[in-house]
Amino acid sequence: MRGSGFVAQIPSWSVAWKGDGFRGDMQLKRWAWIWAVPSLAAGLAAGAPAWAQQPAVIAPPAAAAPVAPPTLSPAQAEVALAVLREANLHGLRPQDYLPADPSDGTALIEGLARYAHDLKVGRLALGDFPANWAVRPQPYDPAPELARALAEDRLKAWLDGLAPRYAGYVALTRGLARYREIAAAGGWKTIPAGSSMAIGSTDPRVPALRARLAAEDPQLTDLTSPTFDPALQEAVVRAQKRFGLKPDGVVGNGTLAFLNQPVGQRILQIIANLERWRWLPATMPATRVQVNSGAAIVTLFRDDKPVLSMKAVSGKPGDETPMLVSAIHSVVINPPWNVPTRIANEELWPKQRRDPGYFARNDYVVLPTEGGGSRVQQKPGPKAALGRFKFDFDNPFTVYLHDTPSKGTFDLYARQASHGCVRLEKAQLLAEALLASDPKWGREGIEAQLATGKTLRVSLSEQVPVYILYWTAFAGADGQMHFRADPYNWDRLLLTKIGLVGQAQAKKDA
């Protein structure tokens, strides 16, 4: 206190953790603050701070006795080493956590803390998330929980509870183990290029095709027949479905490219998707709309069970649909399309200049804006790019879910073709499901409003969470792994950021 003639003594508890705790490099420097928090009562007297009642000159207080860092019992050290040695079960690397000297208790505790952090919220630092990866974990400091687990002798139970509990995550860990077994057995061989193979073919590559399919498909048992028979065709169809390809049973260049991906690439793809699961909260709402932009699929969940699923069209590379979490607050019936300036300038105005009747034929109008500018809007109707329904939720990317008059794109198997918003195959069914709690907006009410051609925004009585995620590896209902082509190259980018893929190779692949 300036001019008081007193020297303020800052109580030791208030600075005890300065420089301590779990840092960005995940090194635990000191642990005293976890166990030792001196009582504050001694620092107060008669309602005034203790220092205010002291003489002007005060000898510095005696140094506090050092507090011993946490230690592991022999049994706890054994548990810790066993868990860290199996970090690869979760797609983590044991060498990132195991101490060089297993008997070094301090290094082992630090390794446990790094492992706990990475398993619960992932290895990517928050500052390394690109802007359009807006699904991010909450900051997590494992030090206090680790300290309590050690003090209460429940280290194994605590460590076992860190990984995500989602069925999708658990299924990926099983897939990871299986594909590592395939790799340990030698993986699979590349099928040479050639003409398409289909039922009836006697191509000399047919046995190689059988061997390749059997590596992932236990239903295919005949590995020797040189003829492309119905059983082999069925195996090809199953593989095409797992890859998100047209299931025509014909092995052309597209199917061959997926089959020839090395098993190591599939393992890395699983690891990247395990990492994304760690960014999610411990649980998701039981009722939600979930979008997988990597596979272009939208699913409505109720009571945590899928009740409506449909194809979608997500953003094309360069206009990627961002990962985000929000809540649908309204359904717009007969929506107009307020064309973003970039799209208007780069796509629509050039068409209008080449063909002066383009705007009129496609129901575009030019509206004035404040300041003497203008913007382009497409009126609602049969030609409207947003179709008949738009689903609004707050987000900084100005993306939304919407209907479309262009249904042909849903027949494609690579459906990343929009400017970033998500087009829905069954938009009216989703609207009916979200508005089902309001008797006014049953199917008849919605149809009546559609018939008017007028725009109406209907607010939901209860907002419905929406999760836009990016999955390129996931398990099907039968437990078989499904893979997609990483259309945004986000698997590669993530693996590069966490040090599993080299920068030079990532740039080459980009």
Side-chain angles (χ1 to χ4, degrees):
M1 179 178 293
R2 187 180 303 275
S4 67
F6 293 94
V7 177
Q9 298 181 29
I10 302 174
S12 62
W13 60 266
S14 67
V15 293
W17 79 326
K18 184 178 180 181
D20 298 348
F22 193 74
R23 298 188 180 277
D25 60 1
M26 293 172 283
Q27 297 294 324
L28 299 178
K29 302 300 185 184
R30 293 192 299 276
W31 290 72
W33 60 276
I34 297 174
W35 284 275
V37 180
S39 170
L40 310 187
L44 301 175
W51 58 262
Q53 303 180 37
Q54 300 296 325
V57 179
I58 303 174
V67 179
T71 58
L72 294 161
S73 69
Q76 289 173 333
E78 186 176 337
V79 166
L81 289 170
V83 169
L84 297 184
R85 286 173 182 142
E86 294 186 339
N88 59 342
L89 298 179
H90 293 278
L92 304 176
R93 300 188 300 185
Q95 63 267 31
D96 291 339
Y97 313 106
L98 285 166
D101 178 3
S103 65
D104 185 343
T106 299
L108 184 53
I109 287 174
E110 292 175 356
L112 278 174
R114 290 195 301 274
Y115 170 80
H117 176 275
D118 293 355
L119 182 58
K120 189 173 180 68
V121 298
R123 287 166 280 187
L124 189 60
L126 289 178
D128 286 338
F129 278 78
N132 53 4
W133 294 8
V135 176
R136 301 174 187 179
Q138 292 296 314
Y140 174 60
D141 178 358
E145 293 181 5
L146 175 53
R148 286 193 295 270
L150 290 172
E152 298 169 6
D153 199 21
R154 52 178 184 84
L155 179 61
K156 183 65 164 62
W158 176 67
L159 290 170
D160 287 346
L162 291 169
R165 295 298 187 185
Y166 293 110
Y169 180 91
V170 174
L172 278 181
T173 62
R174 295 189 185 121
L176 179 61
R178 179 171 174 235
Y179 278 75
R180 280 180 168 154
E181 288 176 356
I182 294 173
W188 49 67
K189 295 181 179 179
T190 299
I191 302 171
S195 58
S196 295
M197 290 182 280
I199 192 164
S201 296
T202 56
D203 191 297
R205 297 173 299 155
V206 167
L209 173 63
R210 289 181 178 277
R212 167 63 188 91
L213 291 170
E216 294 180 282
D217 186 350
Q219 295 185 58
L220 183 62
T221 56
D222 183 353
L223 306 184
T224 59
S225 173
T227 302
F228 196 119
D229 56 20
L232 181 58
Q233 183 186 49
E234 291 173 4
V236 169
V237 168
R238 289 194 295 271
Q240 289 170 328
K241 289 179 178 179
R242 293 197 307 272
F243 300 147
L245 302 174
K246 183 178 180 180
D248 58 7
V250 177
V251 181
N253 290 335
T255 299
L256 200 63
F258 271 83
L259 291 172
N260 282 339
Q261 286 286 335
V263 66
Q265 174 66 26
R266 294 308 186 200
I267 289 171
L268 285 173
Q269 201 167 359
I270 292 171
I271 290 172
N273 284 268
L274 283 169
E275 194 76 9
R276 291 192 195 99
W277 275 108
R278 300 182 186 113
W279 302 347
L280 296 176
T283 58
M284 285 189 282
T287 295
R288 65 187 182 275
V289 172
Q290 193 166 302
V291 179
N292 179 357
S293 63
I297 294 290
V298 173
T299 305
L300 171 64
F301 287 81
R302 290 201 187 281
D303 298 325
D304 229 16
K305 297 177 181 178
V307 295
L308 176 63
S309 188
M310 67 190 75
K311 297 176 182 177
V313 174
S314 52
K316 63 183 182 291
D319 285 313
E320 295 89 352
T321 298
M323 289 185 273
L324 61 85
V325 178
S326 187
I328 298 173
H329 54 72
S330 55
V331 178
V332 183
I333 303 175
N334 293 321
W337 181 32
N338 295 307
V339 183
T341 301
R342 180 178 67 87
I343 297 175
N345 290 340
E346 294 179 1
E347 300 182 23
L348 298 186
W349 279 112
K351 292 179 180 179
Q352 173 66 9
R353 285 190 287 269
R354 290 193 301 268
D355 177 7
Y358 177 80
F359 275 12
R361 286 197 310 275
N362 292 281
D363 294 338
Y364 289 105
V365 293
V366 179
L367 302 176
T369 60
E370 293 183 8
S374 63
R375 63 184 177 89
V376 178
Q377 183 187 81
Q378 189 179 36
K379 297 183 291 185
K383 299 178 181 179
L386 302 190
R388 303 185 300 169
F389 299 94
K390 176 171 173 268
F391 303 83
D392 279 343
F393 46 90
D394 297 334
N395 68 91
F397 306 100
T398 322
V399 298
Y400 40 84
L401 312 183
H402 67 87
D403 188 20
T404 176
S406 304
K407 306 297 185 183
T409 314
F410 297 117
D411 294 332
L412 302 176
Y413 288 86
R415 296 189 299 276
Q416 286 73 35
S418 79
H419 289 96
C421 292
V422 179
R423 305 174 194 165
L424 303 175
E425 179 190 28
K426 304 173 184 176
Q428 182 163 344
L429 292 182
L430 181 60
E432 291 173 2
L434 296 184
L435 296 172
S437 62
D438 188 339
K440 178 182 177 181
W441 294 110
R443 178 169 297 179
E444 290 184 0
I446 290 174
E447 292 283 0
Q449 183 62 38
L450 286 171
T452 69
K454 296 180 180 179
T455 300
L456 181 68
R457 177 182 297 276
V458 182
S459 296
L460 300 186
S461 58
E462 186 173 344
Q463 296 188 9
V464 176
V466 58
Y467 285 72
I468 300 182
L469 307 170
Y470 183 76
W471 305 124
T472 60
F474 49 92
D478 59 356
Q480 287 282 84
M481 286 300 305
H482 290 233
F483 296 98
R484 295 298 183 267
D486 190 18
Y488 298 163
N489 209 31
W490 283 356
D491 286 347
R492 174 69 61 174
L493 179 58
L494 174 57
L495 292 166
T496 301
K497 285 179 174 289
I498 61 178
L500 298 187
V501 172
Q503 293 281 355
Q505 184 63 41
K507 290 179 180 178
K508 179 180 177 182
D509 293 345

